[in-house]
Amino acid sequence: MINECLKKDLPRILHVINEAAMKYKGIIPEDCWHEPYMSKTDLDNEISNGLRMFGYKKNNNIVGVMGIQQMEVVTLIRHAYILTDYQGQGIGKKLLTYLLETNKKKSLLVGAWSKATWAIDFYKKFGFVQHNKKQTIQLLEKYWDISAKQINNSVVLEK
């Protein structure tokens, strides 16, 4: 079952993000890694800036999350994470399909770490196309608030 997350869900959202993000440790540059991967303050700030999080529940517990954020003429897919024990069960596919169905009119962008090939391949299966480096930099600088180091180690895909 997929529902938009509420304020009461924030601790569980953080748990899912931070547990699942451990897969990135050693993949992303060391100076971009921190624990927890996302703090409560960071999540609160992103929600204040328009991030809407959706959760996939199994046994009445959120086990996967994916967010969207409207930015001018595009929609960003943000923070797609599935708890490790639930990965490979189609939860990410269900969340993304749900968000694609509810956002048919706008161009969708997703940023990913360039060495997270599993994430890039996941989006490509849904028809997302990877931008070249120049376009990626332009899009990241326009729509994301991230460090230069993260920009240099990321890709943007679009549908």
Side-chain angles (χ1 to χ4, degrees):
M1 173 188 264
I2 298 172
N3 292 99
E4 187 163 0
C5 296
L6 306 172
K7 190 170 184 131
K8 70 176 180 64
D9 299 318
L10 293 182
R12 188 64 188 169
I13 294 167
L14 279 172
H15 171 73
V16 171
I17 290 172
N18 288 320
E19 190 271 352
M22 293 304 291
K23 187 172 187 175
Y24 291 91
K25 191 172 186 175
I27 299 292
I28 64 173
E30 233 177 83
D31 54 350
C32 292
W33 176 259
H34 45 277
E35 290 183 42
Y37 188 70
M38 177 173 277
S39 70
K40 181 183 181 313
T41 301
D42 289 341
L43 182 58
D44 286 341
N45 288 341
E46 291 199 25
I47 289 171
S48 294
N49 288 320
L51 175 68
R52 296 171 55 207
M53 292 298 293
F54 293 81
Y56 182 92
K57 284 188 178 181
K58 199 162 191 175
N59 299 323
N60 209 28
N61 205 15
I62 297 173
V63 298
V65 296
M66 192 174 289
I68 56 170
Q69 186 174 11
Q70 304 298 322
M71 301 290 289
E72 301 172 20
V73 296
V74 301
T75 300
L76 306 181
I77 303 279
R78 309 281 316 276
H79 309 301
Y81 294 96
I82 311 299
L83 288 175
T84 304
D85 289 345
Y86 293 90
Q87 292 176 5
Q89 297 180 22
I91 294 169
K93 177 182 179 178
K94 289 175 185 171
L95 281 163
L96 184 57
T97 300
Y98 180 85
L99 294 180
L100 290 173
E101 286 296 314
T102 58
N103 290 278
K104 289 182 178 178
K105 294 181 181 167
K106 288 194 175 189
S107 177
L108 290 164
L109 299 176
V110 62
W113 292 101
S114 57
K115 290 187 179 178
T117 54
W118 66 89
I120 296 166
D121 291 343
F122 171 78
Y123 290 106
K124 285 181 175 179
K125 284 185 213 172
F126 288 88
F128 283 77
V129 176
Q130 186 172 332
H131 282 283
N132 66 38
K133 189 66 175 170
K134 182 180 178 184
Q135 294 166 322
T136 289
I137 291 169
Q138 290 171 341
L139 290 166
L140 289 170
E141 288 176 344
K142 182 172 184 172
Y143 296 115
W144 280 267
D145 183 20
I146 57 176
S147 70
K149 180 79 171 188
Q150 189 170 349
I151 288 171
N152 288 328
N153 287 279
S154 295
V155 298
V156 172
L157 297 101
E158 183 170 3
K159 181 172 176 80

